[in-house]
Amino acid sequence: RAAIEALAALLKSKSNSRQAVSRGYLGGLLRLYQDWHHNDISNNYIYIRRGLLLCLKHITNIQLGRETFLGSQGMKILFTSVQDCLSCKNLDPIINTATQILRKCYPKEYLPVKTVRSSYFFPLPGNAKAESPCEASEGKWLKSDYESDGEEDLDNEDVESKEEDYDLETDVNKLRSRPMLDRPEEELGQYEAMCPELSHNFQELESESEEEKSLEERTESFPSTSSHVIPSATSVKHPNYRWRNRSVTETGPDPGEQDFKVPLQSWTKKEKCRWDQTGEKRGTADADPCEEECPARSHVLTLRPLPNDAAWYKKMFYPQCEASVNSSPGERLENSDFVANLLEKHQDDIPFHSPCFYMAKAKGVKSIPDYKDLALPDFWGHQPPPHSKPTLERSYGVQRNKVLDDIRRLLEPREVIGRTVFDLDEPSHSSPGAPGCLTFFSKFECGNLRKAIQVREFEYDLILNADVNSNQHHQWFYFEVRDMKLAVSYRFNIINCEKFNSQFNYGMQPVMYSVKEALQGRPHWLRAGHDICYYKNHYYCNALAGEGVRGKFYYTLTFSIKFPHKDDVCYLAYHYPYTYSTMMSHLDILEQTRNPKKVYWRQQTLCQTLGGNGCPLLTITAMPESKKRDDLEQFYSRPYVFLMARVHPGESNASWVMKGTLEFLVSTDPIADLLRKCFIFKIVPMLNPDGVINGNHRCSLSGDDLNRQWSAPSSQLHPTIYHAKGLLYYLRSLGRAPLVFCDYHGHSQKKNVFLYGCSIKETLWQAGCMVDTAVITEDVGYRTLPKILDKVAPAFVMNSCSFLVEKSRESTARVVVWKEMGVLRSYTMESTYCSCSHGLYKVSKTFK
């Protein structure tokens, strides 16, 4: 044993390892290990066997050693020995070391796709080119560009603290607030129309509210003319460009935002099934240029076919009919009478959701693939799960077993089917190749699945699509699967993930929506899956082809699911989906259900996105108590609170937090009423509509991370950032910079809810710099809001907050608004994807 341990120590040297390989020692070590493995029946010499494996481990750290190991049948020898050891837990030291060697020596290969670039391409305006985000540097991929959320750090806390300290900004001049403009001052005048609350004459509005108008009358009274010119990529080219000084409250909202208004109280079953009308009138006066470029804004959408189960279909929709159903469920969806029948099943018990509203908004969405299908979960809606569920307990050895299954593919290739059953790049492959095969689909709003390969009868490798005009950011997934068998465990391997670690290793599960369950009165997105783990695999990026970062490896998210019904239609997603159409229909419903005598609500369009979709801007506050001068002055002088969400499309949890924020702000809760009376809320609920619509994880259609563009946004490439920043500039020019600015994000690796803020002193102290408190003064008010949240919000954890300013974050919204606008309380709010570790929502869980 001592001799073997000494040899292992010597082989840590790469030069010694090369000599050992060149002299043929590797084959001898393998034979020696086999001999000890076969003869140590009583397992009395575990450490000798492990010492031999350590020798092999060190030798295979060099390329020559790995090649020789493969040529000596080392994979088969170690794999066979590991299988013999799995039944004995005492042999874990041998199993773990052998598995490490097997993973390291597994031959590397490219992803089974023609190119790692996105299947979708969007031509950029002007001379701009879609450049690879990888071109800057390899290190950038490792740290800053590949964060799944606004300000996320690596999971390893030791590495995190070292890199964070190195990244801290120590130049006091760069940390100081320096109000500045990144555009001509005269251009700010266009944002006057976005602040109608500062100039509105409330006499007219109050006289209207005194009349007992029904919601239907108020809805029908909206004129069809546009309230203002919506900024687009072309509308800011001319320096003399001005917005017309017309109040939104005088002319009504944009027709594009109000093209489907149905009073909630007037809904009937007949009205609910009129989703397929295409004769909606739209105003032509003052039409937006983007509208003229695409006259066919409203297009026909169809629901995805229902489960192809005739017996279930007949029972659900024709329970009194004795005759058999001849036509397939999918064919019946083309008939509006059937859709009316389908909507009869909707129980109207999903708060703030209407299938009709959703369909109307979805018809106006512009996407690169030109979506023709609606996913039923988004159309139908969902209720919260009926009961709370603990995070998944991870079974002992699950990752090791999955890795060994992958290695079995290499050693026993005849067991691998290798059939492509879905492919965005090759639509002809998008149908199953044999009976009993699952059917996949993802071409609907927010959907992301590029390719599905059947590996074994009940196992599929899945490949996600990169962000548009990009070759990376694979994390978000949302797809449909059908034609499953009952009581069968299907394994799904998403093989091109990029994060170094994931909450899927710590109890998180994907979410699943069953159409059969939904139509039977149980419309729920539920956490589902078992044997879940996340690990580095043997696929890597083809850097030689200029497609990615050299040496970039991928990770596998693997999970198994038993579907609740045979021949069901189920949807699987990374997190609870929240689409652009969901948001737009939600805003319509909120506007019509609020109390107009108490809640001041204005919905405008901040700008048009690159893809031609409107980016909504909301203003919420309390109506003035009366027309008296003091009450009106109090109304006009209220401080602003500026909220934003969903700059990163894959962070759907940020939209759910924003949804709750909006519903609370317009509610009758006394605290909400007090907040409205004290503040004016300017809200951009979805800052990256195009990314959300097209299933991106992090970027916009330009291929850029929009939360890294705040320092110098382009009016053409980053219009939502450009105009959001312009509106903030305008408020500052009036002396009305926001009291609080908060950008909602999601965090894929940390638990709970917490804030990132900005502090000069804390940054310098953390970096080990001397701080002269007489020279550097700072208002500690930036800590007030986090402390309040720590007391009143069960999911919030003050200890997770950070107020450090890093160099790599200098162009994020939080830092730019703090530095350039002088907003002391400028935050990024991070929400976990999976559970809380503190407070009321704490989830207790142990790993086996």
Side-chain angles (χ1 to χ4, degrees), residues 181-191 239 242 726 729-730 732-734:
L181 273 177
D182 64 357
R183 66 198 74 193
E185 187 174 356
E186 58 269 18
E187 196 177 293
L188 298 183
Q190 62 181 298
Y191 300 103
R242 292 288 187 276
Y729 274 139
Y730 176 72
R732 192 199 69 184
S733 71
L734 300 178

Side-chain angles (χ1 to χ4, degrees), residues 75 121 133 151 174 201 285 291 315 330 429 438 484 529 573 663 697 740:
M75 295 289 288
F121 172 76
E151 318 245 349
K174 291 183 178 180
N201 181 355
E291 299 281 4
K315 181 179 178 181
H429 293 164
L438 292 178
M484 64 283 296
E663 290 173 5
H697 171 63
V740 174

Side-chain angles (χ1 to χ4, degrees), residues 535-823:
Y535 57 91
K536 185 177 178 181
N537 60 36
H538 63 284
Y539 292 106
Y540 72 110
C541 190
N542 185 2
L544 296 178
E547 294 190 335
V549 177
R550 180 183 178 187
K552 168 182 154 185
F553 286 91
Y554 292 105
Y555 293 76
T556 292
L557 165 62
T558 179
F559 57 92
S560 298
I561 286 183
K562 288 186 178 180
F563 294 102
H565 301 282
K566 177 185 177 183
D567 292 330
D568 196 358
V569 176
C570 290
Y571 291 81
L572 298 174
Y574 180 87
H575 193 70
Y576 305 99
Y578 192 97
T579 67
Y580 174 75
S581 298
T582 298
M583 176 198 65
M584 297 301 290
S585 59
H586 182 240
L587 297 183
D588 272 1
I589 294 173
L590 282 179
E591 180 176 1
Q592 297 187 27
T593 54
R594 82 194 195 284
N595 183 345
K597 295 181 181 180
K598 289 185 174 295
V599 181
Y600 179 98
W601 167 289
R602 290 297 177 268
Q603 178 178 337
Q604 300 168 274
T605 301
L606 176 69
C607 64
Q608 292 287 338
T609 65
L610 270 178
N613 297 289
C615 179
L617 170 69
L618 306 177
T619 305
I620 301 175
T621 188
M623 296 294 290
E625 294 289 338
S626 69
K627 293 181 289 184
K628 294 179 181 179
R629 180 177 178 180
D630 290 347
D631 290 334
L632 291 178
E633 286 185 356
Q634 190 277 337
F635 175 89
Y636 295 134
S637 62
R638 292 170 187 167
Y640 278 92
V641 173
F642 204 106
L643 307 177
M644 307 187 314
R646 207 68 183 278
V647 69
H648 293 150
E651 296 166 11
S652 61
N653 46 352
S655 281
W656 288 107
V657 176
M658 178 57 76
K659 178 179 186 290
T661 300
L662 295 174
E663 290 173 5
F664 178 76
L665 284 178
V666 301
S667 71
T668 58
D669 189 287
I671 298 178
D673 185 54
L674 180 62
L675 286 171
R676 291 194 300 266
K677 290 177 179 178
C678 292
F679 304 102
I680 298 174
F681 292 88
K682 284 288 185 186
I683 302 174
V684 184
M686 188 173 286
L687 204 55
N688 189 354
D690 291 339
V692 172
I693 291 167
N694 291 285
N696 284 7
H697 171 63
R698 193 169 181 87
C699 297
S700 66
L701 295 190
S702 66
D704 295 320
D705 179 349
L706 292 183
N707 201 36
R708 296 295 187 272
Q709 308 303 322
W710 277 80
S711 290
S714 164
S715 60
Q716 288 191 319
L717 299 180
H718 322 118
T720 60
I721 305 300
Y722 184 85
H723 291 292
K725 187 178 182 182
L727 179 56
L728 286 162
Y729 274 139
Y730 176 72
L731 292 175
R732 192 199 69 184
S733 71
L734 300 178
R736 305 290 299 275
L739 178 69
V740 174
F741 172 87
C742 191
D743 185 14
Y744 291 14
H745 283 264
H747 207 290
S748 68
Q749 295 184 20
K750 292 185 177 180
K751 305 287 189 184
N752 311 303
V753 179
F754 51 95
L755 291 177
Y756 290 123
C758 301
S759 166
I760 297 178
K761 287 186 176 180
E762 291 195 34
T763 302
L764 294 176
W765 284 331
Q766 181 67 31
C769 299
M770 295 295 293
V771 179
D772 187 346
T773 54
V775 177
I776 302 176
T777 59
E778 186 173 49
D779 186 344
V780 295
Y782 63 88
R783 279 185 166 265
T784 304
L785 183 58
K787 287 181 177 179
I788 294 173
L789 289 172
D790 195 45
K791 298 294 184 184
V792 302
F796 192 86
V797 176
M798 182 69 183
N799 290 339
S800 296
C801 296
S802 173
F803 304 95
L804 306 178
V805 180
E806 301 97 334
K807 297 174 184 176
S808 61
R809 309 292 196 274
E810 63 182 6
S811 58
T812 61
R814 165 182 65 103
V815 177
V816 170
V817 172
W818 170 71
K819 189 182 298 183
E820 296 186 19
M821 315 295 173
V823 177

Side-chain angles (χ1 to χ4, degrees), residues 445-463:
E445 192 173 341
C446 257
N448 189 318
L449 177 66
R450 180 175 189 168
K451 191 171 185 178
I453 303 170
Q454 187 180 20
V455 179
R456 300 184 179 98
E457 183 178 5
F458 302 117
E459 182 179 353
Y460 295 82
D461 280 354
L462 308 179
I463 299 175

Side-chain angles (χ1 to χ4, degrees), residues 216-428:
E216 182 175 1
E217 289 171 335
R218 288 191 296 103
T219 302
E220 292 175 350
S221 69
F222 287 141
S224 60
T225 56
S226 175
S227 60
H228 57 258
V229 176
I230 301 171
S232 64
T234 57
S235 64
V236 294
K237 290 181 180 178
H238 307 291
N240 296 325
Y241 171 82
R242 292 288 187 276
W243 280 29
R244 286 163 291 176
N245 188 14
R246 296 171 58 187
S247 171
V248 176
T249 55
E250 295 173 2
T251 61
D254 298 332
E257 305 295 334
Q258 304 291 341
D259 59 348
F260 193 85
K261 288 289 186 179
V262 179
L264 294 183
Q265 287 85 344
S266 66
W267 286 356
T268 64
K269 295 295 183 182
K270 289 185 178 180
E271 288 172 322
K272 288 177 105 178
C273 66
R274 293 178 184 171
W275 59 268
D276 57 338
Q277 295 177 354
T278 57
E280 298 177 30
K281 295 182 179 180
R282 299 176 58 86
T284 56
D286 298 325
D288 175 54
C290 292
E291 299 281 4
E292 295 176 4
E293 292 174 7
C294 185
R297 178 187 174 99
S298 293
H299 53 276
V300 177
L301 286 173
T302 58
L303 282 173
R304 293 291 300 150
L306 296 185
N308 191 21
D309 184 341
W312 172 85
Y313 182 82
K314 172 183 171 184
K315 181 179 178 181
M316 279 294 299
F317 296 100
Y318 301 94
Q320 308 300 327
C321 181
E322 296 182 1
S324 61
V325 179
N326 295 322
S327 57
S328 70
E331 291 173 354
R332 291 181 175 269
L333 282 173
E334 298 299 329
N335 189 305
S336 61
D337 292 336
F338 170 78
V339 176
N341 194 3
L342 176 64
L343 288 174
E344 288 286 342
K345 300 292 180 183
H346 202 273
Q347 299 177 3
D348 299 333
D349 54 357
I350 300 175
F352 300 102
H353 180 80
S354 159
C356 289
F357 271 47
Y358 185 88
M359 174 64 79
K361 290 302 178 184
K363 288 197 295 182
V365 169
K366 297 178 181 178
S367 63
I368 294 177
D370 191 22
Y371 296 130
K372 304 296 185 185
D373 295 85
L374 278 184
L376 192 129
D378 306 318
F379 169 78
W380 198 254
H382 75 276
Q383 298 169 336
H387 50 78
S388 61
K389 182 180 179 182
T391 52
L392 183 71
E393 290 189 358
R394 180 164 172 170
S395 301
Y396 178 80
V398 61
Q399 178 172 314
R400 182 178 64 197
N401 294 338
K402 298 293 186 182
V403 170
L404 292 175
D405 278 347
D406 292 344
I407 293 170
R408 183 178 285 108
R409 293 193 204 178
L410 175 69
L411 300 178
E412 301 172 4
R414 287 180 293 182
E415 292 185 3
V416 178
I417 298 174
R419 179 189 298 120
T420 299
V421 295
F422 175 77
D423 194 341
L424 279 182
D425 303 314
E426 298 287 343
S428 60

